[in-house]
Amino acid sequence: MGIMRHVVCAMSGGVDSSVAALLLKKRGYSVTGVFMKNWDSLDESGTCSTERDCEDAHRVCQALGMPFHQVSYVKEYWNEVFSNLLKEYEKGRTPNPDILCNKYIKFNHFHEYAINTLGADAMATGHYARTSLEDEEVFQQKHAPAETSLFRHRFEQRNPVRLCQGADRVKDQTFFLSQVSQHALRQTLFPLAGLTKDFVKKIAAEAGFHHVLKKRESMGICFIGERNFESFILEYLEPKPGNFVSVEDGKVMGSHRGWFTVTLGQRARIGGLRDPWFIVDKDINSGHVFVAPTTNHPALFRDTIRTDRFHWITVDPPADLIRTKMMECHFRFIHQMALIPCTVTLNMDGSVWISLSQPIRALTPGQFAVLYRGDECLGSGKIIQLGPSEFTLQQGRQAARLRDTTESTDPPS
């Protein structure tokens, strides 16, 4: 009889992680459930139901006869995720806390805790995703420190683990895992890889996990809860009043309490207007937030972005991108949005330019550009620069036509 493998499963108190733990037990592994507390809800009113979630996770572990632990990453979350979020909002960007939490907390601190403190052979989560490794290959991985250089030595022989979409393409969560490190991914199991959400619910019902099945699926940012985002963010950032300005004629349309209270593409809260106006751009130097009428105004559409240094799941960029500095693949910057064909250009500093096959609405600095080739998630980079909008390009073409017309009608000197 072989060695019983020890797996530490991240338990959220939801249906996905509960079924993940059940499936691991059915595979014959020794499983320990761990609940992570990332936000201190004691000093907030009406935020996450952390205590209830912890209780729900504990009940599942008891039902499965699994040891249960609770670990707090409140300090780490504040220092490495939330402080980062506030800085990004101040810069006029809109960050993604779910991607950052997976990168810095779940697949960093929690991974180290599972392997080094609890002595696990692997960790597991309830994400809908899969890797290129079979379970037994995961158990054979040696724990290695994260790679810190820009690219690995070109002659180093290695076989990187790849991150791929799960069977449920609608629920697929590779988007949220696109910043995870190679060394953590090597020691991670995704028990729900081959399952659909509906089938996971069926398994939960048959197992008697009715207390987690009844829960509403968590959407949005956990630490905000049901509260208005503007009210929440103004608890942490000083108001910086400015004007809503029409992108078409420069007219002041109203006022706001800070550019960080709004994001591109959302409806602007401007009193006294019969028709809705939408946020199309921000200028943090002047404090202006530019707005335009109609939800599909050309000022909202762009087809080019630049990221910061791109995080490749396999550490190195794809071979054809290194060789030619250009590559065809697919792009998304919002979970579950349709994948868009694109051309990627690699820069010397590791950042990339991404040219999309069509203009996309409300491309937003601070969000992550996630790239796919087939069912493989290649990784992601934070959007730090936008190309010109369709409105700007239209204005440029009109100005050029006007200039050409003027020059053709001028009398010869």
Side-chain angles (χ1 to χ4, degrees), residues 247 264 280-282 297-305 331 354 356-365 385-393:
V247 74
L264 271 58
V280 299
D281 209 350
K282 304 178 189 181
H297 192 279
L300 271 169
F301 287 81
R302 302 169 194 261
D303 64 6
T304 310
I305 56 170
F331 158 94
I354 300 173
L356 304 170
S357 63
Q358 64 193 71
I360 299 298
R361 184 183 184 277
L363 289 165
T364 307
Q385 189 177 344
L386 302 177
S389 71
E390 290 294 291
F391 181 68
T392 300
L393 293 173

Side-chain angles (χ1 to χ4, degrees), residues 15 52 59 209-217:
V15 66
R52 197 187 77 190
R59 280 178 64 185
F209 297 160
H210 302 294
H211 66 292
V212 295
L213 266 174
K214 285 186 283 189
K215 293 171 76 168
R216 201 174 55 174
E217 191 157 7

Side-chain angles (χ1 to χ4, degrees), residues 60-308:
V60 169
C61 288
Q62 284 180 315
L64 295 175
M66 286 165 39
F68 175 78
H69 297 265
Q70 181 181 353
V71 62
S72 174
Y73 293 123
V74 171
K75 185 176 76 173
E76 291 84 355
Y77 191 93
W78 180 274
N79 291 333
E80 298 173 46
V81 178
F82 192 68
S83 295
N84 180 302
L85 255 64
L86 295 180
K87 287 173 188 167
E88 288 289 286
Y89 281 121
E90 286 190 301
K91 290 176 183 174
R93 298 172 182 164
T94 303
N96 189 314
D98 295 320
I99 289 178
L100 295 174
C101 182
N102 281 325
K103 177 177 183 171
Y104 292 114
I105 308 300
K106 192 171 287 184
F107 289 85
N108 180 25
H109 293 294
F110 178 79
H111 170 250
E112 294 292 332
Y113 174 77
I115 304 298
N116 295 336
T117 304
L118 297 182
D121 297 302
M123 65 171 266
T125 73
H127 286 101
Y128 290 82
R130 65 182 177 88
T131 71
S132 53
L133 295 181
E134 297 296 329
D135 283 14
E136 199 51 45
E137 292 176 298
V138 172
F139 295 130
Q140 291 165 7
Q141 299 301 314
K142 296 284 189 292
H143 185 49
E147 184 70 29
T148 53
S149 61
L150 186 60
F151 303 131
R152 284 178 182 252
H153 191 279
R154 63 183 295 186
F155 298 115
E156 184 182 342
Q157 294 295 313
R158 64 190 190 87
N159 186 24
V161 178
R162 300 182 183 278
L163 177 65
C164 303
Q165 292 178 303
D168 191 331
R169 293 301 171 89
V170 174
K171 187 64 183 169
D172 172 65
Q173 291 172 308
T174 51
F175 177 86
F176 298 114
L177 302 173
S178 61
Q179 284 275 313
V180 169
S181 71
Q182 176 73 193
H183 81 290
L185 206 56
R186 278 186 175 281
Q187 294 183 302
T188 301
L189 301 175
F190 296 115
L192 307 187
L195 305 180
T196 63
K197 180 74 176 191
D198 287 343
F199 195 62
V200 166
K201 287 180 176 177
K202 187 180 176 206
I203 294 171
E206 288 173 355
F209 297 160
H210 302 294
H211 66 292
V212 295
L213 266 174
K214 285 186 283 189
K215 293 171 76 168
R216 201 174 55 174
E217 191 157 7
S218 59
M219 302 291 283
I221 303 172
C222 150
F223 47 74
I224 295 176
E226 301 296 322
R227 287 178 298 169
N228 171 272
F229 175 75
E230 180 176 311
S231 304
F232 173 82
I233 201 69
L234 288 172
E235 290 180 18
Y236 298 94
L237 297 177
E238 286 291 321
K240 288 191 168 62
N243 292 321
F244 286 120
V245 177
S246 169
V247 74
E248 293 188 335
D249 57 14
K251 180 183 175 184
V252 174
M253 306 297 295
S255 62
H256 61 79
R257 299 178 69 190
W259 60 81
F260 41 77
T261 64
V262 295
T263 191
L264 271 58
Q266 80 175 69
R267 182 172 176 171
R269 295 170 65 185
I270 306 173
L273 296 181
R274 188 183 65 184
D275 298 318
W277 284 58
F278 295 84
I279 314 293
V280 299
D281 209 350
K282 304 178 189 181
D283 183 343
I284 65 172
N285 295 315
S286 66
H288 292 341
V289 171
F290 294 97
V291 293
T294 75
T295 186
N296 288 322
H297 192 279
L300 271 169
F301 287 81
R302 302 169 194 261
D303 64 6
T304 310
I305 56 170
R306 181 172 176 256
T307 71
D308 62 358

Side-chain angles (χ1 to χ4, degrees), residues 316-329:
D316 291 341
D320 53 335
L321 182 59
I322 295 176
R323 189 173 62 253
T324 67
K325 299 294 183 285
M326 291 184 78
M327 175 182 77
E328 306 288 322
C329 58

Side-chain angles (χ1 to χ4, degrees), residues 23 28 51 116 264 285 318 375 379 383:
L23 294 174
E51 288 78 11
N116 295 336
L264 271 58
N285 295 315
D375 67 353
I383 300 171

